[in-house]
């Protein structure tokens, strides 16, 4: 088991502002975002965090708060599938929710000036050259698209990668589609058909070895596909005993958490923070410390492997 907060910097005060309203003309609904940032500091790296299906900008406090308290600006858009939006199933946008999600993430980057101005004291403090994306579940696919993942909808995967994004974290993200999906998933989620061969940007894939989703018949190793099937600089954090909420990352008191475990949450907080500092070229000592901490004890609650292809 890792020492609590091993390898991380002390927490600093954070300011959070919500909702910041973006008004895309082609979305039909305003895009609401939450911004969390350290009170002090300059040249702050940025993480755009994409929530899982049905959640919102108010979710994922255990991750967003941890990252912001340790030097990152975190921006959380509320996607159209959020329960807070209440999009009707017959709404014509429903069939393309995956694409609206990607547009949301890009729009955040397009309108950083407006977002900065909405947060007192933030203007001019974001390092535009150190931008990362992160996502959980459906949000992992959304974030992955900006890193090079292509959605086969239905057959040809359009390149929607974004050169402004330098690295990412994909948490409990869907694996291969096609025959690997259950009949229900294939019928209701045709966009769940990713092509990982162009996902070349550096990324940390986080997967629970007990995350047996009903969307695939393959079992927990399905969410490890983004690591095994993508080229380039990748790392895989396997969380032992982790189910889909991985100990409770989706919120402090989220009822959907089936495997509540503060140690798992702490591991993911530390590992994701340290990895992104490494991948964005800030420093690598913290990432090395996390890896060493896991390998140094037989009571570790996870393992990390890496590749460069």
């Amino acid at each position: 088991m890792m020492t609590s907060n091993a390898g991380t910097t002390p927490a600093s005060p954070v300011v959070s502002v919500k909702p910041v309203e973006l008004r895309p003309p082609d979305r039909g609904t305003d895009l609401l975002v939450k911004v969390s940032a350290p009170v002090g500091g300059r040249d702050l790296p940025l993480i755009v965090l994409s929530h899982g299906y049905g959640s919102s900008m108010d979710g994922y406090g255990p991750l967003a708060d941890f990252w912001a308290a340790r030097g990152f600006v975190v921006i959380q858009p509320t996607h159209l599938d959020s329960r807070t939006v209440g999009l009707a199933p017959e709404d014509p946008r429903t069939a393309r929710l995956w694409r609206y999600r990607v547009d949301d993430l890009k729009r955040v980057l397009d309108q950083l000036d407006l977002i900065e101005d909405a947060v007192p004291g933030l203007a001019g403090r974001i390092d535009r050259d150190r931008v990362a994306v992160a996502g959980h579940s459906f949000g992992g696919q959304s974030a992955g698209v900006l890193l090079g993942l292509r959605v086969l909808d239905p057959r040809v995967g359009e390149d929607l990668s974004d050169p402004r994004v330098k690295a990412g974290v994909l948490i409990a993200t869907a694996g291969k589609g096609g025959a690997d999906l259950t009949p229900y998933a294939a019928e209701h989620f045709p966009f769940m058909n990713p092509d990982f061969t162009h996902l070349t940007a550096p990324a940390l894939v986080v997967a629970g070895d007990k995350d047996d989703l009903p969307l695939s018949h393959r079992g927990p190793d399905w969410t490890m596909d983004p690591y095994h099937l993508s080229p380039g600089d990748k790392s895989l954090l396997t969380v032992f005993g982790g189910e889909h909420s991985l100990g409770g990352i989706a919120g402090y008191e989220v009822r959907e958490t089936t495997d509540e475990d503060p140690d798992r949450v702490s591991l993911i907080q530390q590992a994701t923070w340290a990895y992104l500092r490494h991948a964005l070229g800030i420093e690598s000592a913290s990432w090395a410390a996390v890896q060493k901490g896991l390998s140094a004890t037989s009571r570790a609650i996870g393992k990390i492997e890496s590749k460069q292809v």
Side-chain angles (χ1 to χ4, degrees):
M1 183 176 302
M2 294 182 62
T3 303
S4 179
N5 295 334
T8 64
T9 58
S12 61
V14 170
V15 58
S16 292
V17 173
K18 69 169 189 178
V20 177
E21 298 183 6
L22 308 182
R23 296 184 172 86
D26 56 347
R27 192 174 186 265
T29 303
D30 287 349
L31 174 59
L32 306 182
V33 306
K34 177 181 178 181
V35 185
S36 301
V39 170
R42 301 193 63 82
D43 298 323
L44 303 172
L46 170 65
I47 302 173
V48 184
L49 173 58
S50 182
H51 63 72
Y53 186 89
S55 189
S56 72
M57 64 182 175
D58 293 315
Y60 300 92
L63 295 182
D65 293 347
F66 186 93
W67 294 336
R70 290 161 181 82
F72 283 91
V73 174
V74 183
I75 302 178
Q76 298 174 257
T78 295
H79 299 300
L80 287 174
D81 56 84
S82 172
R83 290 184 291 270
T84 65
V85 174
L87 200 68
E90 63 273 14
D91 190 291
R93 292 170 289 179
T94 300
R96 297 282 283 174
L97 281 175
W98 77 266
R99 180 58 187 270
Y100 280 101
R101 281 173 150 266
V102 173
D103 291 343
D104 290 345
L105 301 181
K106 288 175 174 283
R107 190 165 285 113
V108 165
L109 299 179
D110 292 341
Q111 300 196 28
L112 275 182
D113 288 341
L114 185 154
I115 293 171
E116 281 189 349
D117 289 342
V119 180
L122 184 58
R125 295 171 56 214
I126 295 178
D127 186 345
R128 307 292 179 96
D129 293 324
R130 287 191 166 117
V131 176
V133 289
H136 173 244
S137 194
F138 196 5
Q141 183 189 75
S142 306
V145 170
L146 271 66
L147 300 170
L149 182 153
R150 298 186 184 183
V151 175
L152 304 177
D153 182 20
R155 292 187 178 87
V156 178
E158 184 180 0
D159 180 10
L160 297 172
S161 60
D162 195 310
R164 294 172 293 186
V165 179
K166 302 302 191 293
V169 174
L170 310 181
I171 306 172
T173 301
K176 284 176 59 180
D180 287 359
L181 297 178
T182 61
Y184 178 87
E187 178 183 356
H188 292 87
F189 308 112
F191 54 82
M192 198 172 290
N193 196 18
D195 174 7
F196 298 107
T197 58
H198 303 280
L199 205 170
T200 56
L204 171 65
V205 175
V206 181
D209 68 358
K210 301 298 182 183
D211 187 6
D212 193 2
L213 289 169
L215 301 173
S216 172
H217 57 77
R218 278 182 41 202
D221 74 311
W222 187 55
T223 61
M224 301 177 190
D225 282 356
Y227 172 76
H228 292 296
L229 302 180
S230 62
D233 186 354
K234 300 291 185 299
S235 292
L236 172 65
L237 168 61
T238 302
V239 181
F240 300 153
E243 298 179 11
H244 199 57
S245 289
L246 294 161
I249 62 167
Y252 293 108
E253 297 180 2
V254 177
R255 288 179 296 175
E256 290 90 340
T257 299
T258 57
D259 63 331
E260 185 174 3
D261 189 321
D263 287 334
R264 290 190 191 117
V265 174
S266 179
L267 168 61
I268 294 167
Q269 288 171 327
Q270 295 171 53
T272 54
W273 175 86
Y275 176 82
L276 288 178
R277 285 176 63 85
H278 161 72
L280 293 175
I282 300 169
E283 55 88 19
S284 295
S286 299
W287 178 233
V290 169
Q291 295 177 86
K292 182 179 180 180
L294 284 177
S295 63
T297 173
S298 60
R299 297 181 60 215
I301 59 174
K303 67 176 182 179
I304 293 173
E305 55 191 285
S306 299
K307 67 175 184 177
Q308 291 182 322
V309 180

